[in-house]
Amino acid sequence: MAILVLGGAGYIGSHTVYELLDAGRDVVVADNLVTGFRAAVPSQARFYQADIRDRAAMDRLFETEQIDGVIHFAAFSQVGESMTDPLKYYDNNLHGTMVLLQSMTDHGVDKIVFSSTAATYGEPEQIPILETDAATPTNCYGETKLAMEHMMSWTSRAHGLRYVALRYFNACGAHPGGAIGEAHDPETHLIPLILQVPGGKREKVFIFGDDYPTRDGTCVRDYIHVTDLAQAHILALDYLLRGGENNVFNLGNGVGFTVKEVIDTARRVTGHPIPAEVCERRAGDPAQLVASSEKAKSVLGWKPRYDDLSTIISSAWQWHSTHPNGYGG
Ligand code: UFG
């Protein structure tokens, strides 16, 4: 029996494929390659170029392969774009997931682990954030991810599907082996943008606001290594395979760093001065997002290994300095 990884050519998906293969699992990857990269998928995984919105393609997959469980990363994930083009997000994230669940239900595949996000919480009511806190997204991306969670829940009641939603905080870093890493176009995330400065691709980094109510005025985020996220997916799938109930887990380190602290750490790691300039706040950024991941630790037995920001940034730098154009060389 195989594990189907949808969106397995993307950033977090490809890292999960590597961890699954390392754990000796039989892995099938499907990706439409709109934002993913064929080169990110190792040859030991069986690859299908397919879109989750394509019902015939999903049916063919479940008819060709013996799928024990699904890990679903196939979604758009840019907050800013979701505000200017919300229907693109409803189409891929919600309509796509609906088609996928229809096909899974019809083929008797009843276990799914999927990417959710800290963006489901919106402006947090307390720090650290617990899974039981109010979920009131402030952007369309978070709204579609929360709606995906609800879709799973109703499908579970009607058809016996079992699911785990993993609410990631700030995914970062790269595979320690150096073969895969983060490659977005356009890049919007803080750590890869910072590393473009020592990489010679930009002159300085912009700090989006320094008047937040935080220790140095810049936003605080909980940075979690992509390999730790990948491990959590495997643990969540095994939890479902053991008969675990539907569940939602936060995934973060539980430690917050300001934007200025991240830049300072990158300066130390790379040995480059990395000039930074403060500009206006970015619309929709909460001041602080820090997870409580106690539930993932106690229920799934998850233990993040990369809890040190320097190590996380070093792994990202190893990737970006050797792949200045991502998978393009
Ligand atoms: N930032 C800058 N300058 C930049 C880029 C980012 O100062 O050039 C700041 C942002 O304002 C934010 C922090 O760096 O305070 C991190 O920003 P990212 O864009 O890297 O990440 P976000 O926290 O905005 O987004 C992450 C995930 C989203 C998820 C969101 C939840 O990438 O998928 O958390 O709010 F939706």
Side-chain angles (χ1 to χ4, degrees):
M1 297 292 269
I3 307 302
L4 172 61
V5 183
L6 297 165
Y11 174 43
I12 307 173
S14 60
H15 285 78
T16 303
V17 170
Y18 268 69
E19 296 304 306
L20 283 164
L21 290 168
D22 276 356
R25 305 296 179 92
D26 187 20
V27 181
V28 175
V29 171
D31 197 298
N32 62 7
L33 299 182
V34 169
T35 55
F37 300 90
R38 180 68 183 86
V41 182
S43 56
Q44 302 96 299
R46 291 189 292 292
F47 180 77
Y48 294 80
Q49 186 167 353
D51 192 304
I52 55 169
R53 291 163 289 192
D54 181 346
R55 176 65 198 261
M58 291 299 107
D59 287 348
R60 268 197 307 279
L61 254 179
F62 291 116
E63 279 150 28
T64 310
E65 300 283 353
Q66 296 293 308
I67 301 298
D68 219 9
V70 174
I71 306 184
H72 173 27
F73 298 95
F76 290 134
S77 64
Q78 287 183 31
V79 172
E81 183 188 56
S82 79
M83 300 300 279
T84 54
D85 198 355
L87 299 181
K88 178 174 174 179
Y89 281 69
Y90 275 86
D91 180 36
N92 196 24
N93 299 5
L94 272 174
H95 173 233
T97 299
M98 181 196 77
V99 174
L100 166 67
L101 294 186
Q102 285 170 336
S103 184
M104 285 177 63
T105 303
D106 283 356
H107 291 87
V109 179
D110 63 354
K111 290 175 274 303
I112 183 166
V113 175
F114 72 101
S115 324
S116 188
T117 170
T120 53
Y121 294 108
E123 200 61 52
E125 46 185 32
Q126 59 169 356
I127 297 291
I129 301 171
L130 293 168
E131 289 85 349
T132 45
D133 288 353
T136 48
T138 51
N139 58 60
C140 178
Y141 166 65
E143 183 72 41
T144 60
K145 287 285 176 168
L146 186 62
M148 280 168 65
E149 292 188 9
H150 294 158
M151 192 191 296
M152 301 276 170
S153 172
W154 291 109
T155 308
S156 175
R157 289 192 205 189
H159 302 293
L161 176 86
R162 282 183 303 120
Y163 69 92
V164 168
L166 298 176
R167 293 178 175 169
Y168 317 148
F169 281 64
N170 286 61
C172 53
H175 192 274
I180 53 170
E182 188 166 9
H184 296 119
D185 187 19
E187 188 51 76
T188 61
H189 294 109
L190 180 64
I191 292 175
L193 285 172
I194 292 173
L195 294 177
Q196 284 181 0
V197 180
K201 296 185 83 180
R202 68 172 57 231
E203 283 179 8
K204 60 185 169 192
V205 63
F206 289 98
I207 298 173
F208 296 154
D210 67 351
D211 56 352
Y212 286 94
T214 61
R215 52 186 173 266
D216 64 17
T218 64
C219 288
V220 170
R221 292 290 181 274
D222 183 336
Y223 294 89
I224 179 76
H225 195 277
V226 64
T227 300
D228 284 328
L229 290 181
Q231 286 297 340
H233 291 78
I234 301 178
L235 292 168
L237 190 70
D238 288 344
Y239 159 90
L240 289 177
L241 290 167
R242 286 196 305 272
E245 294 298 310
N246 299 337
N247 228 323
V248 179
F249 298 98
N250 287 341
L251 298 179
N253 269 315
V255 182
F257 291 94
T258 68
V259 173
K260 285 185 176 170
E261 288 165 350
V262 175
I263 297 170
D264 276 341
T265 308
R267 287 176 177 141
R268 278 197 302 279
V269 165
T270 62
H272 190 285
I274 312 185
E277 182 180 316
V278 177
C279 63
E280 289 297 295
R281 288 182 175 197
R282 185 172 67 179
D285 272 342
Q288 291 197 60
L289 288 174
V290 180
S292 163
S293 300
E294 293 312 310
K295 188 176 164 193
K297 290 176 182 165
S298 63
V299 177
L300 299 178
W302 185 56
K303 286 193 198 78
R305 281 185 299 161
Y306 300 90
D307 55 0
D308 172 64
L309 188 62
S310 302
T311 313
I312 292 176
I313 294 181
S314 293
S315 76
W317 178 231
Q318 186 194 350
W319 160 256
H320 288 292
S321 56
T322 52
H323 299 79
N325 300 311
Y327 291 96

